[in-house]
């Protein structure tokens, strides 16, 4: 599945629908589907919030592919160089007074998925995320 | 996303349902701030909550800070296994008082 979305938060419901259709069609179980859905939303929102700043319209291309017991997710954007893996991660063990909302999204992505890689490309950024499927799913 | 507010005993009962994503989390945050400023004892019903990302978690964090500041009580209940896992990864299971259902949340010792 490959789909292009306007680089705005208003695209999130459409992105969710596309992920749900892909996971349903590829027999990805609800647990993995939930994690892929959440990780993609976090990555997409991060790009919209931090990747632009020029006031011009942008697009984000999402590609989902199931192969060899894994779901591979590729997210391409045409924003400025932005590697979310370099951003400071939330301290999830900090007490309430010291908790800050920032950095929580990328922390969730790292923990919910199995791999995350960043590539800077001439025309933008690429994130590659991998979710390994359970043994039962791999045989389907 | 749905937000319902009612009363039970001495608690404000707040039901959050559906999907809380980065698009509607600001709406939730606004409502929670308003409720947190007027209510000191709040139960949050998450049984109809299907999805919450980091933006929604941030809104709940704002509410918890508001309630704690005034010495109030905030309890969550009815988290699905998926939502409970997200809470655990975020470390929110250590910050929030979380109960299985309304009865246990209501009757917990203050």
């Amino acid at each position: 599945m490959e789909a292009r979305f306007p680089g705005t938060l208003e695209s999130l419901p459409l992105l969710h629908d596309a992920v749900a259709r892909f996971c349903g069609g590829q027999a990805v179980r609800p647990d993995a589907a939930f994690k892929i859905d959440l990780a993609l939303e976090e990555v997409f929102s991060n790009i919209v919030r931090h990747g632009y700043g020029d006031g011009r319209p942008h697009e984000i291309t999402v590609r989902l592919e199931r192969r060899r017991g894994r779901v591979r997710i590729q997210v391409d954007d045409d924003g400025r160089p932005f590697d979310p893996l370099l951003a400071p991660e939330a301290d999830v063990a900090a007490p309430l007074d010291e908790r800050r909302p920032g950095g929580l999204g990328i922390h969730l992505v790292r923990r919910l998925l199995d791999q995350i890689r960043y590539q800077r490309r001439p025309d933008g950024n690429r994130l590659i995320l991998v979710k390994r499927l359970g043994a039962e799913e791999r045989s389907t | 996303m749905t937000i319902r507010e009612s009363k039970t005993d001495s608690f404000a009962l707040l039901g959050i349902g559906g999907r809380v994503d980065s698009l509607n989390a600001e709406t939730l945050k606004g409502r929670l701030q308003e409720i947190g400023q007027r209510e000191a004892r709040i139960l949050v019903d998450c049984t109809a909550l299907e999805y919450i990302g980091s933006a929604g978690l941030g809104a709940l964090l704002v509410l918890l800070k508001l309630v704690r500041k005034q010495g109030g009580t905030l309890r969550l209940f009815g988290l699905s296994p998926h939502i409970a896992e997200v809470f655990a990864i975020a470390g929110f299971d250590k910050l929030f008082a979380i109960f299985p259902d309304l009865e246990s949340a209501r009757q917990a010792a203050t």
Side-chain angles (χ1 to χ4, degrees), chain B residues 2 15 18 25 31 33 36 38 40 43 45-47 50 56 61 66 71 85 87 89 93 101 105 107:
Chain B
T2 57
R31 280 293 297 277
Q33 279 176 321
R38 92 178 121 79
L43 301 180
D45 180 357
C46 300
T47 46
E50 295 165 15
L61 198 60
L66 268 176
E85 186 179 359
F87 267 65
I89 292 172
D93 55 338
D101 50 39
Q107 290 172 5

Side-chain angles (χ1 to χ4, degrees), chain B:
Chain B
M1 177 182 70
T2 57
I3 306 168
R4 284 180 296 105
E5 204 186 337
S6 56
K7 278 275 179 190
T8 172
D9 302 337
S10 57
F11 287 99
L13 180 61
L14 182 68
I16 305 173
R19 292 178 60 83
V20 183
D21 61 19
S22 302
L23 181 59
N24 57 27
E26 276 301 310
T27 306
L28 176 66
K29 189 171 151 189
R31 280 293 297 277
L32 295 182
Q33 279 176 321
E34 182 256 313
I35 292 163
Q37 274 155 9
R38 92 178 121 79
E39 302 285 349
R41 289 166 63 79
I42 303 170
L43 301 180
V44 181
D45 180 357
C46 300
T47 46
L49 183 61
E50 295 165 15
Y51 172 98
I52 189 163
S54 65
L57 292 175
L60 285 174
L61 198 60
V62 168
L63 175 64
L64 180 62
K65 286 185 176 181
L66 268 176
V67 170
R68 288 273 176 85
K69 210 165 122 187
Q70 48 181 314
T73 302
L74 176 69
R75 296 176 189 156
L76 276 53
F77 68 90
L79 278 66
S80 74
H82 288 147
I83 306 281
E85 186 179 359
V86 171
F87 267 65
I89 292 172
F92 275 35
D93 55 338
K94 307 280 193 299
L95 298 178
F96 287 82
I98 299 172
F99 297 86
D101 50 39
L102 172 62
E103 272 317 293
S104 52
R106 207 166 54 82
Q107 290 172 5
T110 48

Side-chain angles (χ1 to χ4, degrees), chain A residues 9-10 12-13 16 30-31 34-35 37-38 41-42 45 49 92 94 96 99-100 104-105 107-108 111-112, chain B residues 19-23 50-55 57-58 61 64-65 68 82-83 85-86 89-92 95:
Chain A
L9 294 181
E10 281 70 27
L12 289 175
H16 164 64
D31 182 59
F34 182 90
K35 290 170 181 169
D37 187 20
L38 201 150
E41 191 225 310
E42 297 293 350
S45 309
R49 289 208 180 96
V92 298
L96 183 63
R99 286 298 296 254
R100 301 286 174 269
L104 196 49
H107 174 76
L108 291 174
R111 292 286 304 272
L112 292 171
Chain B
R19 292 178 60 83
V20 183
D21 61 19
S22 302
L23 181 59
E50 295 165 15
Y51 172 98
I52 189 163
S54 65
L57 292 175
L61 198 60
L64 180 62
K65 286 185 176 181
R68 288 273 176 85
H82 288 147
I83 306 281
E85 186 179 359
V86 171
I89 292 172
F92 275 35
L95 298 178

Side-chain angles (χ1 to χ4, degrees), chain A residues 54-120:
Chain A
D54 57 5
R56 292 164 58 184
H58 291 273
E59 278 191 332
I60 299 173
T61 303
V62 175
R63 188 182 169 88
L64 287 158
E65 195 179 3
R66 183 184 164 157
R67 60 180 179 198
R68 294 194 296 276
R70 309 180 314 168
V71 173
R72 182 183 183 275
I73 305 144
Q74 183 175 298
V75 183
D76 290 341
D77 72 75
D78 56 358
R80 61 186 172 211
F82 172 64
D83 180 355
L85 302 178
L86 297 179
E89 227 174 294
D91 178 4
V92 298
L96 183 63
D97 291 347
E98 294 162 27
R99 286 298 296 254
R100 301 286 174 269
L104 196 49
I106 198 66
H107 174 76
L108 291 174
V109 175
R110 285 178 189 272
R111 292 286 304 272
L112 292 171
L113 299 189
D114 297 292
Q115 279 177 39
I116 173 166
R117 286 202 312 277
Y118 170 81
Q119 293 170 359
R120 178 63 193 166

Side-chain angles (χ1 to χ4, degrees), chain A residues 20-37:
Chain A
R21 271 199 308 277
F22 169 83
C23 289
Q26 295 289 321
V28 175
R29 289 184 170 231
D31 182 59
F34 182 90
K35 290 170 181 169
I36 291 166
D37 187 20

